[in-house]
Amino acid sequence: MSRPDGPGPAAAGEGRTAPDGLRPTVGGPRCVSLTTDYGLVDGFVAACHGVLARLAPAVRVIDVTHLIPPADVRRGAAVLAQTVPYLPWGVHVAVVDPGVGTERRGIALATPGGLLVGPDNGLLIPAAEALGGVTAAVELTNPDRLGPVVSHTFHGRDVFAPVAARLALGAPPAGAGPPVDPGTLVRLPEPVVRAEPGGLTAEVLTVDHFGNVQLAAPGTLLDGLPSRVLVNGRAAVHGRTFGDAPPGALVVLADSAGLAAIAVNTGRAADTLALAPGDLVTIMTR
């Protein structure tokens, strides 16, 4: 379905030029962004806002989304990575954390484009790479940086929000705990992406609110394909935007995140093709 696409992958780090030509503002309290799978029915999001407001009342908080599907770390990682380059330089908290309370680490990552706080389960790494790469990492173990009581099941409130508030006020990441070798950070498995004779095969990375299917393949893999292609054997238009296909028809395009995507003009490609994240898609010449 036609919609304003998500942002592209270019990094907007401190002192860099953002994708829209605006320079990030650095100095004074930094902003904090929140990306979670908490939903909007319970008080989880408000509790995190409350901790931030109590510890850092002057800090601006930007809610990226709290509607990541529960425990869908890959979806959270993709949304975060495609959004942070467009946010002000600051502290980006992400919590999609099915391993909360286990031996998995809580971490803070420094990058040229900002700080990231959350679980060490692969969630933060794509965003860190979008912001220039990890330059330092620490494990969040210093009790002086955490909440007064740390629940086994709500680290967003008791670990990540308190750490983020103090980082946003200028506290150094090194004070949050011992250093972590970036090479030991958990990474998500690499998705399937294969160039094929006359096309490509790629894994579905995400399905957005409009039913558009984003693939893990770079949009450049579509270069050179003709105007008529097959998507898993079904006829589709290779175009630049949704309206290049007739209403109800499939269109293959490079989305504004720079990735190959499949849409239906005024429809839902995910439903039309019965696709979900992790499925494989083949796009071929007819």
Side-chain angles (χ1 to χ4, degrees):
M1 180 175 180
S2 300
R3 55 111 165 88
D5 268 331
E14 183 176 6
R16 300 184 179 189
T17 300
D20 58 1
L22 298 177
R23 286 193 173 274
T25 300
V26 182
R30 302 158 178 168
C31 85
V32 173
S33 76
L34 293 174
T35 303
T36 78
D37 61 353
Y38 289 160
L40 300 175
V41 174
D42 304 294
F44 304 134
V45 174
C48 293
H49 271 268
V51 170
L52 293 167
R54 289 166 70 94
L55 295 176
V59 169
R60 179 184 180 190
V61 180
I62 297 174
D63 291 291
V64 175
T65 182
H66 299 291
L67 298 178
I68 299 297
D72 191 343
V73 177
R74 187 179 290 277
R75 171 68 172 164
V79 169
L80 186 67
Q82 293 172 32
T83 303
V84 290
Y86 292 85
L87 300 179
W89 201 97
V91 185
H92 306 296
V93 178
V95 192
V96 182
D97 193 15
V100 61
T102 68
E103 293 301 312
R104 73 97 185 93
R105 297 178 291 197
I107 53 173
L109 307 180
T111 78
L115 302 171
L116 295 153
V117 174
D120 181 22
N121 62 3
L123 176 66
L124 305 180
I125 298 299
E129 292 172 346
L131 294 176
V134 177
T135 57
V138 298
E139 185 175 2
L140 308 179
T141 60
N142 183 352
D144 293 336
R145 293 286 187 92
L146 311 181
V149 176
V150 176
S151 163
H152 293 296
T153 60
F154 197 179
H155 284 188
R157 178 194 66 193
D158 301 333
V159 175
F160 304 134
V163 167
R166 293 176 169 95
L167 291 175
L169 293 176
V180 170
D181 178 355
T184 69
L185 296 170
V186 175
R187 294 176 177 267
L188 296 173
E190 288 294 326
V192 173
V193 179
R194 291 194 304 266
E196 310 273 12
L200 63 101
T201 295
E203 186 174 328
V204 175
L205 185 62
T206 68
V207 174
D208 70 14
H209 172 73
F210 297 94
N212 300 316
V213 176
Q214 184 184 67
L215 304 181
T220 53
L221 285 185
L222 301 174
D223 294 347
L225 291 181
S227 60
R228 303 289 176 179
V229 295
L230 296 173
V231 178
N232 285 358
R234 298 188 58 156
V237 172
H238 174 207
R240 294 185 301 169
T241 191
F242 309 105
D244 288 341
L250 288 164
V251 58
V252 173
L253 71 166
D255 69 13
S256 64
L259 297 175
I262 307 159
V264 169
N265 187 7
T266 67
R268 297 179 58 84
D271 295 345
T272 298
L273 296 170
L275 291 173
D279 290 344
L280 293 182
V281 173
T282 298
I283 302 172
M284 303 292 289
T285 58
R286 290 190 179 185

